[in-house]
Amino acid sequence: MKPRVTPTSSERSLGEQDFIVSKTDPKGRILYANRIFIALSGYSEAELLGRQHNIIRHPDMPRSAFKLLWDSIAAGQEFIAYVKNMAKDGSFYWVLATVTPDYDSARRIVSYTSVRRKPRADAVRAAAGLYKEMLAAESRAGARDAIAAGTAVLTEVLNGKSYEQFVLAL
């Protein structure tokens, strides 16, 4: 069960040379967390391992963004996105995340590796604005139709581009 954490306005940030690395099983349970992930998240290694990666999900992130992520990586595609995460104390931090599937010798997905680095401030502003629009659409649509509504906003903004093209252009 995800712990109840109240978001604050306190921001943490990665150093210019820092990389957060984590690995999850196909269900999203954390198998590995590097020391920077542990320090920035505020959770101990024991609190992270075996837990769903959404333990750090910030409520400002639209559900539809994560649906796109999971659909992409489950299909064997790399996924790149700006993500707002929440630490154990409620503070937040933005990352530019690259998530890739890991395969066994039979080409079955056995895990996912995520590498996150410090994003550019202008890209964070653009992503935050988009996510705010997506969240508003999700909220207006209600729980049953939220993901479709957020996805519709994203599709309109992409205007024929892939999400990766959009993210890399920010």
Side-chain angles (χ1 to χ4, degrees), residues 2-163:
K2 184 177 174 181
R4 291 197 183 268
V5 177
T6 302
T8 71
S9 60
S10 179
E11 183 172 6
R12 298 177 178 214
S13 66
L14 281 165
E16 293 296 331
Q17 302 302 317
D18 289 342
F19 284 89
I20 294 174
V21 179
S22 61
K23 184 178 286 279
T24 69
D25 68 13
K27 300 281 188 193
R29 290 181 296 259
I30 300 170
L31 303 172
Y32 169 78
N34 74 342
R35 65 174 180 74
I36 296 171
F37 181 24
I38 293 166
L40 199 58
S41 74
Y43 290 97
S44 69
E45 183 177 37
E47 290 173 306
L48 291 170
L49 296 182
R51 300 293 294 271
Q52 291 291 321
H53 207 283
N54 70 4
I55 190 172
I56 59 167
R57 181 174 179 248
H58 196 284
D60 287 350
M61 287 298 300
R63 290 173 46 202
S64 48
F66 287 105
K67 170 86 165 94
L68 178 60
L69 178 146
W70 279 103
D71 287 352
S72 297
I73 61 177
Q77 301 166 348
E78 178 179 77
F79 190 80
I80 300 171
Y82 291 94
V83 179
K84 185 176 184 180
N85 290 322
M86 185 167 57
K88 184 178 181 179
D89 66 0
S91 61
F92 68 93
Y93 57 100
W94 280 92
V95 296
L96 176 57
T98 302
V99 185
T100 57
D102 304 313
Y103 299 93
D104 65 12
S105 60
R107 296 290 300 157
R108 290 181 300 248
I109 295 174
V110 293
S111 60
Y112 300 106
T113 299
S114 178
V115 178
R116 280 101 65 206
R117 59 189 164 109
K118 184 176 183 168
R120 294 185 341 268
D122 59 330
V124 166
R125 283 190 296 277
L130 171 60
Y131 294 158
K132 187 174 182 176
E133 287 181 51
M134 292 169 69
L135 274 172
E138 289 181 3
S139 179
R140 284 190 304 271
R144 189 184 66 168
D145 298 319
I147 291 175
T151 301
V153 169
L154 179 60
T155 300
E156 184 177 322
V157 169
L158 294 179
N159 193 26
K161 294 182 206 166
S162 73
Y163 184 74

